[in-house]
Amino acid sequence: MPAERDDAPTSAPAPGSTASLRSANQRRVIRLLQQQTAGEPLTQADIARSTQLAPATVSNIVRDLTAAGMVETVMGSGRRGTTVRISRDAGLVVGIDFGHRHVRVAIGDLTGEVIADEREPIAQDHRYGDGLDRAAAMLDSLLAKLDATREDVLNIGLGLPAPITREDVVMSSAILPGWVGVNARVEAEARLGRPAHIDNDANLGALAEHRHGAGMGHPNMVFVKVSSGVGAGMILDGELFRGSHGTAGEIGHLTIDEQGPFCRCGSRGCLEAYASIGMAATALADQLPNASIDDIVAAAKNGNVSALRMFEDAGLHLGWGLAMLANLIDPSAIVVGGDMARAGDLLLDSIHIGMRRHALASVSSTTLVTRAALGDRASVIGALLLALDRTDLVPAQGLG
Amino acid sequence: MPAERDDAPTSAPAPGSTASLRSANQRRVIRLLQQQTAGEPLTQADIARSTQLAPATVSNIVRDLTAAGMVETVMGSGRRGTTVRISRDAGLVVGIDFGHRHVRVAIGDLTGEVIADEREPIAQDHRYGDGLDRAAAMLDSLLAKLDATREDVLNIGLGLPAPITREDVVMSSAILPGWVGVNARVEAEARLGRPAHIDNDANLGALAEHRHGAGMGHPNMVFVKVSSGVGAGMILDGELFRGSHGTAGEIGHLTIDEQGPFCRCGSRGCLEAYASIGMAATALADQLPNASIDDIVAAAKNGNVSALRMFEDAGLHLGWGLAMLANLIDPSAIVVGGDMARAGDLLLDSIHIGMRRHALASVSSTTLVTRAALGDRASVIGALLLALDRTDLVPAQGLG
């Protein structure tokens, strides 16, 4: 069942009217159910208490939402009585994440719970059309297992490891050359046939870690992805912050040393040159030739002094960059993820030292710096949450 | 007439109720009138069109607000018919700004227009109580000229050149030593007898430049105050962003060179050491002994090569710091103010070069960097706007 897209033109009722009040109240009940379904099921009395709506109003809303197929009531066993939850048939959302050398697809229900997912390798230099066709095939295969079709998918979230403009165009990226200049939303909607929403992988990682990971309970938090490049996604006052042109969070190109190595961005001495997989491979080219990041982590854990020193120096420089970000943003948590974070404390311990050296004491003492909780699934979960956020189950006139 | 403070406990009606709808609609009409009063006066038909409320609803609201003394109607001359505006008797707001060596007091009406203001010098090492008593005397003298009393003041905004915690405590500041550790809100309310709201001077400058200065029309903009120290205030998605602990915007302590001079903050090579009045005085101690910043600006304009070089180097380093901020935040405008900005293009030209060298090309090409428009009145106007923002003219139950 297709829902209104929040950016679609609608003949909205006048603000302040009874119709807009009704749809706002219906939306509030649905939001509550979406947040709570994973936990204790809610009775109508619970809903009235949490929303402060009158019990009779809640009763009308549940009746209308049930008739519209949005919620279902479940007969209680024992003391709880009848509870209300989002209907399993109300629809699905999808998250797709293109990484350095992989594509992931996840399907979720309308509470954001992942009910199916899959990961496949993909060539780094793939053309965007081939990548989307691959994602479409993976999606269809997963849907078939759930006995569902693309018609059941209300929205798709798509993550890419590149800066994305506000108009959904992929900007210059050394990581996915086959996507540069592409309007990812237009192409994804053409090949997948459903409404799509695009964002940068670090932004989506921030969304996921904020809602379900190491950043829970922190309305101002930053997710830093340290991988082929270094990117940051920022949650400010509880919302993903994208900046004026969609490119906020480019921490990888902070100038650490203006006489440092030239960077592909046109500047010199960028943080990426001191802390990224590329730097690690270059630094260890003689000692550990052709080593993957996991090989390098293993070598460091076995006491290889070159690998240990590389993580130490990378961590000190990351801490410097994070200190500058923290002085400016004053977050309460910074969550470190991406492939390099698999080194764990080998990297985190030095990050803490760098933070303390370079941030104001009042900032470093109040900013939690911790490892990401969702591992390499953060971006695809974030993509699914983006799709969920863009799914408005209640039309402007209200249901019923 | 005292108004509800937005943080005061109120017995709010249930959200979604008719009472909350009525107060929300009344509030919307007042906000519209506050924004428009400086421009073309509005008829009831204009209000209905702008708010999308029904003409009959607008008529009821105007009647209730008039009865409560909040608005007044003005007989039209010619085509316009009767127009509606905020009543001149609805109340006053006050802004107070403590600077390096001055205190300013401004009184405004409820549209934010300044109707009286005054500036006096004050010793830098004054005790906070003496400073507040001085401000109180200036306020009373200004009020007397307007034939008003403190009872007419609904809210006071107070700006201080120091980091301020979320609890309104002044944190360590080399600039105002007599205020450190003081709860500025509690002390201001005790000595001024009216509700007070505290913020950092750079945050208030950002608010003022955003609403009435060089940052108008930029929902993501940064105001950078380059003076005794360097501080930034950030407007993100249209709102002042304060961070988790109230200290966001500490651009002055970004590490430019980890081997640079030791800083009072405990780090080394902070931006302040490369671009501030203290740096300027130290750099020119031999060539221009005991020179004020205005003396140094005059010398540079007369071709003094040492003064010119100082502004050039300060600008390049400021550009570096602003580039890092812009890479992270992606603002559409950066507004440079504070005493050093009186050098004009002597400083701005080098800032532009530093920005281009250190920011991503996509960032420096889309970020306007310009001089502040409000001069040294920015912070006091921001303090007045803060007071205005905290003035809620409509109680939760609505008026009438």
Side-chain angles (χ1 to χ4, degrees):
Chain A
M1 160 183 341
E4 296 285 333
R5 290 183 54 199
D6 69 351
D7 50 351
T10 57
S11 59
S17 71
T18 313
S20 75
L21 187 60
R22 185 172 65 158
S23 62
N25 287 339
Q26 290 178 343
R27 212 168 266 128
R28 214 149 84 224
V29 170
I30 286 187
R31 292 263 157 79
L32 178 69
L33 292 172
Q34 287 186 315
Q35 286 158 13
Q36 289 290 331
T37 302
E40 184 84 353
L42 298 175
T43 64
Q44 295 203 17
D46 295 332
I47 295 171
R49 199 155 37 239
S50 289
T51 59
Q52 293 187 50
L53 291 167
T57 306
V58 171
S59 177
N60 287 338
I61 290 172
V62 169
R63 187 197 61 216
D64 291 341
L65 295 179
T66 305
M70 289 294 137
V71 308
E72 59 194 15
T73 49
V74 182
M75 294 298 289
S77 59
R79 290 168 306 168
R80 291 288 299 164
T82 301
T83 56
V84 184
R85 67 178 185 203
I86 301 285
S87 168
R88 302 277 151 146
D89 299 327
L92 301 171
V93 287
V94 167
I96 300 174
D97 168 46
F98 283 92
H100 190 199
R101 292 199 174 97
H102 73 264
V103 54
R104 267 184 194 276
V105 177
I107 298 178
D109 64 21
L110 294 186
T111 68
E113 200 177 332
V114 174
I115 52 183
D117 73 314
E118 200 175 358
R119 179 188 197 276
E120 287 187 8
I122 194 169
Q124 193 187 346
D125 61 355
H126 71 268
R127 295 281 307 159
Y128 71 90
D130 298 335
L132 287 169
D133 288 344
R134 175 81 76 82
M138 292 168 68
L139 174 59
D140 288 337
S141 149
L142 286 173
L143 285 168
K145 288 181 198 160
L146 296 173
D147 207 16
T149 71
R150 288 201 206 174
E151 289 304 304
D152 299 310
V153 176
L154 302 182
N155 276 293
I156 294 173
L158 176 65
L160 292 165
I164 313 283
T165 70
R166 289 238 172 219
E167 296 72 35
D168 300 313
V169 175
V170 181
M171 292 175 70
S172 175
S173 163
I175 294 168
L176 281 192
W179 288 76
V180 175
V182 172
N183 187 308
R185 181 178 46 76
V186 169
E187 296 299 332
E189 293 186 346
R191 286 166 192 265
L192 296 162
R194 305 304 300 149
H197 310 275
I198 318 298
D199 213 331
N200 168 274
D201 61 342
N203 284 352
L204 296 177
L207 199 57
E209 290 286 344
H210 175 62
R211 300 264 185 90
H212 298 304
M216 282 176 73
H218 293 277
N220 294 293
M221 62 81 70
V222 179
F223 172 72
V224 180
K225 184 168 181 173
V226 190
S227 200
S228 305
V230 186
M234 298 185 277
I235 304 286
L236 304 183
D237 288 340
E239 300 288 335
L240 193 52
F241 178 76
R242 295 183 171 88
S244 291
H245 315 94
T247 66
E250 286 286 353
I251 191 174
H253 298 279
L254 298 189
T255 305
I256 293 294
D257 177 0
E258 66 172 337
Q259 304 300 326
F262 286 93
C263 180
R264 61 189 160 85
C265 77
S267 183
R268 295 181 67 167
C270 296
L271 178 58
E272 280 191 6
Y274 302 91
S276 64
I277 289 181
M279 179 284 285
T282 304
L284 301 171
D286 291 341
Q287 298 93 330
L288 298 166
N290 300 314
S292 70
I293 188 67
D294 288 326
D295 297 336
I296 296 172
V297 170
K301 287 186 175 164
N302 285 327
N304 180 303
V305 290
S306 299
L308 284 168
R309 174 61 185 261
M310 184 282 296
F311 281 119
E312 183 175 319
D313 283 5
L316 289 172
H317 284 99
L318 281 169
W320 180 347
L322 295 180
M324 295 201 283
L325 182 153
N327 275 357
L328 290 172
I329 299 297
D330 181 21
S332 59
I334 297 175
V335 174
V336 182
D339 293 337
M340 289 275 281
R342 289 207 287 278
D345 287 344
L346 292 177
L347 188 69
L348 265 288
D349 285 350
S350 295
I351 289 179
H352 286 123
I353 294 170
M355 268 287 284
R356 182 176 48 68
R357 282 173 68 89
H358 296 287
L360 290 171
S362 64
V363 170
S364 62
S365 64
T366 56
T367 306
L368 172 73
V369 179
T370 189
R371 196 175 158 189
L374 302 175
D376 57 4
R377 295 174 77 229
S379 294
V380 78
I381 292 173
L384 195 148
L385 293 171
L386 175 66
L388 187 66
D389 286 352
R390 298 298 170 91
T391 302
D392 188 354
L393 296 171
V394 180
Q397 307 290 344
L399 290 165
Chain B
M1 160 183 339
E4 297 284 333
R5 289 184 54 200
D6 70 351
D7 49 351
T10 56
S11 58
S17 71
T18 313
S20 76
L21 187 60
R22 185 172 65 160
S23 63
N25 287 339
Q26 290 177 344
R27 211 168 267 129
R28 214 150 82 225
V29 170
I30 286 187
R31 292 264 157 79
L32 178 70
L33 293 172
Q34 287 185 315
Q35 286 157 15
Q36 290 289 330
T37 301
E40 183 83 352
L42 297 175
T43 65
Q44 294 203 17
D46 296 332
I47 295 171
R49 202 158 33 244
S50 290
T51 58
Q52 293 186 50
L53 291 167
T57 306
V58 171
S59 177
N60 287 339
I61 290 172
V62 169
R63 187 198 60 216
D64 290 342
L65 295 180
T66 305
M70 289 295 136
V71 308
E72 58 194 15
T73 50
V74 182
M75 293 299 287
S77 60
R79 290 169 306 169
R80 292 289 297 165
T82 301
T83 56
V84 184
R85 68 179 185 202
I86 301 287
S87 168
R88 302 276 150 145
D89 300 326
L92 301 170
V93 287
V94 167
I96 300 174
D97 168 46
F98 283 92
H100 190 199
R101 290 199 175 98
H102 73 263
V103 55
R104 266 183 194 277
V105 176
I107 298 178
D109 64 21
L110 294 186
T111 69
E113 201 178 331
V114 175
I115 51 183
D117 72 313
E118 199 174 0
R119 179 188 196 276
E120 287 187 8
I122 193 168
Q124 193 187 346
D125 60 354
H126 71 267
R127 295 280 307 158
Y128 71 91
D130 298 334
L132 286 169
D133 288 344
R134 175 81 75 85
M138 291 168 69
L139 174 60
D140 287 338
S141 148
L142 286 173
L143 285 168
K145 288 182 199 162
L146 296 173
D147 206 16
T149 70
R150 287 200 205 176
E151 288 304 303
D152 299 311
V153 175
L154 301 182
N155 276 294
I156 294 173
L158 177 65
L160 292 165
I164 313 283
T165 70
R166 289 237 172 221
E167 294 74 35
D168 301 312
V169 175
V170 182
M171 292 173 71
S172 175
S173 164
I175 296 168
L176 281 192
W179 287 76
V180 175
V182 172
N183 187 310
R185 179 178 47 76
V186 169
E187 296 299 332
E189 293 186 346
R191 286 166 192 264
L192 295 163
R194 306 303 301 149
H197 311 276
I198 317 297
D199 212 331
N200 168 274
D201 61 343
N203 284 352
L204 296 177
L207 199 58
E209 290 286 343
H210 175 62
R211 300 261 185 91
H212 299 304
M216 282 175 72
H218 293 277
N220 294 293
M221 62 82 69
V222 179
F223 172 73
V224 180
K225 184 168 182 173
V226 190
S227 201
S228 305
V230 186
M234 298 185 279
I235 303 286
L236 303 184
D237 289 340
E239 300 287 334
L240 194 52
F241 179 76
R242 295 183 171 87
S244 292
H245 315 94
T247 65
E250 285 286 355
I251 192 174
H253 298 280
L254 298 190
T255 306
I256 293 295
D257 177 359
E258 66 172 336
Q259 304 299 327
F262 286 93
C263 180
R264 61 189 159 86
C265 78
S267 184
R268 295 181 69 167
C270 295
L271 177 59
E272 280 191 5
Y274 302 90
S276 64
I277 289 180
M279 178 285 285
T282 305
L284 302 171
D286 290 340
Q287 298 93 331
L288 298 166
N290 301 315
S292 71
I293 187 67
D294 289 324
D295 297 335
I296 296 173
V297 171
K301 287 185 175 165
N302 284 328
N304 180 302
V305 291
S306 299
L308 284 167
R309 173 62 185 261
M310 184 281 296
F311 281 119
E312 185 176 320
D313 283 5
L316 290 172
H317 284 99
L318 281 169
W320 180 347
L322 295 181
M324 297 200 284
L325 183 151
N327 276 356
L328 290 172
I329 299 297
D330 181 21
S332 59
I334 297 176
V335 174
V336 181
D339 293 337
M340 289 275 281
R342 289 207 288 277
D345 287 345
L346 292 178
L347 188 69
L348 265 288
D349 287 350
S350 295
I351 289 179
H352 286 124
I353 294 170
M355 269 287 283
R356 182 175 49 68
R357 283 172 68 90
H358 296 286
L360 289 171
S362 64
V363 170
S364 61
S365 64
T366 57
T367 306
L368 172 73
V369 179
T370 189
R371 195 175 159 189
L374 302 174
D376 57 3
R377 296 175 75 227
S379 293
V380 77
I381 292 173
L384 194 148
L385 292 171
L386 174 67
L388 186 66
D389 286 351
R390 299 297 170 89
T391 302
D392 189 354
L393 297 171
V394 180
Q397 307 290 342
L399 290 163

